[in-house]
Amino acid sequence: MRILIFGGSGFLGGRLLPKLKSRGHTILAPRSTDLDLTKNPAQPLPEHEGVDVVIHAAALYGGMPFDIENSHRILATNTRINTNVFEYCEALSPKHLVTIGSACSYPGYIDKDFTEDDLFTGPLHETVACHGFTKLGMVIAHQVYWQSRALPGTHLICANLYGPGDVYTIERSHVVAALIRKYTDAIEAGEDVYLMGDGTPMREFLYIDDLADIIVAAVESDPDGVRILNAGTGIGHTIKQLAEVIASQLDFKGETHWDPSLPNGTQRKVSVVDRLHAALDVSPPLSLEEGIAKTLEWYLPNKSQADARQ
């Protein structure tokens, strides 16, 4: 198949493209200098005509502090990108559109594991509403473009991602990358680690290669209409447990200090993945301990380069 990927040069794209190529697919992955998705292109690039599948993984993103500080920018940028992707697909008429969502699109105040039916049932958590709102918009767009333009698709609601190639700058990083950066910096400086919140929020963590495998399975399947699937492990860990795993694997000897005066974010964010496994043939994901070990195996010898990536 000919597959067009938006966001192919990012964290996910760096792991996904080799997997797709190894399975014999032809990959088109334009950079923003070739195709600026914040601007509506007048017409598709000639080389994109006749693609079978489009994967939309392009977005402006960061961790919770980045979302809070840049909420207006995230909302405006990602809304423009998403709208232009769907209009681009209308012109191309691919057989399948795969979009990458986020657990931030689930209600922020429900004390249970999320199923796909929980979308739109309550307000988003205010700390990540700017990001979650744009992901909900993609769900609606999928349904509208299926009904009006017969564009089938798969929307994957992803757990917290981590792994090799992630962004490790504190200002942009998600929680796993941020904690790895903080603990390795503290070890180098001989200092303690200071973390925001009280460590009690429950999160679900998905190793990046496991998401790439899910996307490959989605691409090689044939959706009937639009399907919405949780892409995760179905297993929750507290932020404190995550910190303990990272500290243990790094043999950190200092103290970890929590600041409960800073926001925790949503208290619980764990998904039910039954529909994912019913729809797609995917292998069991790595455990958190296994995934952190593989991440550190890559990160430690590449720390300087990884820390500099924006």
Side-chain angles (χ1 to χ4, degrees):
M1 289 189 287
R2 298 182 73 239
I3 301 173
L4 172 60
I5 301 180
F6 296 127
S9 61
F11 172 38
L12 173 59
R15 311 298 287 190
L16 175 60
L17 267 64
K19 289 179 179 286
L20 289 169
K21 289 179 179 178
S22 71
R23 296 184 67 82
H25 300 299
T26 300
I27 307 301
L28 305 170
R31 302 183 71 90
S32 59
T33 52
D34 302 316
L35 182 62
D36 186 353
L37 290 172
T38 65
K39 301 175 182 178
N40 190 0
Q43 59 185 17
L45 297 179
E47 59 267 32
H48 296 166
E49 296 287 351
V51 298
D52 299 293
V53 178
V54 174
I55 300 173
H56 173 27
L60 174 63
Y61 67 89
M64 183 175 66
F66 183 83
D67 282 1
I68 294 173
E69 295 173 10
N70 298 275
S71 57
H72 64 293
R73 181 180 164 212
I74 291 170
L75 179 65
T77 300
N78 290 342
T79 298
R80 285 195 295 268
I81 289 174
N82 295 342
T83 299
N84 290 335
V85 166
F86 275 91
E87 293 194 359
Y88 204 77
C89 286
E90 181 179 8
L92 291 176
S93 298
K95 301 172 184 176
H96 189 177
L97 169 63
V98 178
T99 56
I100 309 304
S102 168
C104 294
S105 58
Y106 276 120
Y109 299 92
I110 298 180
D111 188 21
K112 72 179 188 70
D113 291 356
F114 296 118
T115 72
E116 294 84 351
D117 294 333
D118 290 315
L119 290 175
F120 301 102
T121 61
L124 305 180
H125 198 276
E126 62 273 9
T127 57
V128 291
C130 63
H131 188 66
F133 176 81
T134 64
K135 299 301 187 181
L136 286 176
M138 284 202 293
V139 174
I140 295 173
H142 264 292
Q143 296 167 341
V144 168
Y145 276 76
W146 165 245
Q147 294 167 359
S148 64
R149 294 294 183 266
L151 175 63
T154 301
H155 181 74
L156 298 172
I157 306 175
C158 301
N160 285 270
L161 300 174
Y162 70 99
D166 201 354
V167 175
Y168 288 83
T169 53
I170 297 299
E171 296 78 14
R172 285 286 312 280
S173 57
H174 286 122
V175 60
V176 177
L179 293 192
I180 287 175
R181 174 72 184 272
K182 285 177 179 287
Y183 276 102
T184 53
D185 283 356
I187 290 172
E188 289 184 352
E191 298 175 346
D192 290 346
V193 168
Y194 296 83
L195 302 177
M196 65 187 301
D198 60 13
T200 62
M202 184 77 69
R203 295 290 183 269
E204 181 183 7
F205 304 104
L206 182 65
Y207 187 67
I208 190 65
D209 285 0
D210 289 327
L211 176 60
D213 289 338
I214 290 171
I215 295 172
V216 170
V219 164
E220 295 178 347
S221 63
D222 187 15
D224 180 16
V226 176
R227 58 189 178 192
I228 301 168
L229 304 172
N230 286 332
T233 65
I235 300 170
H237 297 85
T238 67
I239 301 299
K240 184 177 181 181
Q241 289 172 330
L242 170 65
E244 290 171 346
V245 170
I246 294 171
S248 174
Q249 294 199 14
L250 289 170
D251 197 25
F252 175 65
K253 301 299 185 184
E255 297 290 333
T256 300
H257 305 273
W258 299 90
D259 187 350
S261 68
L262 297 176
N264 274 329
T266 304
Q267 191 60 30
R268 184 178 183 84
K269 197 183 294 183
V270 182
S271 67
V272 177
V273 293
D274 293 349
R275 289 188 191 177
L276 172 71
H277 292 284
L280 302 176
D281 182 16
V282 292
S283 301
L286 292 181
S287 69
L288 180 62
E289 291 78 9
E290 292 171 323
I292 294 297
K294 290 177 72 70
T295 301
L296 292 176
E297 181 180 357
W298 171 86
Y299 175 77
L300 292 176
N302 296 285
K303 178 173 169 55
S304 297
Q305 179 182 357
D307 291 352
R309 180 172 180 266
Q310 298 294 320

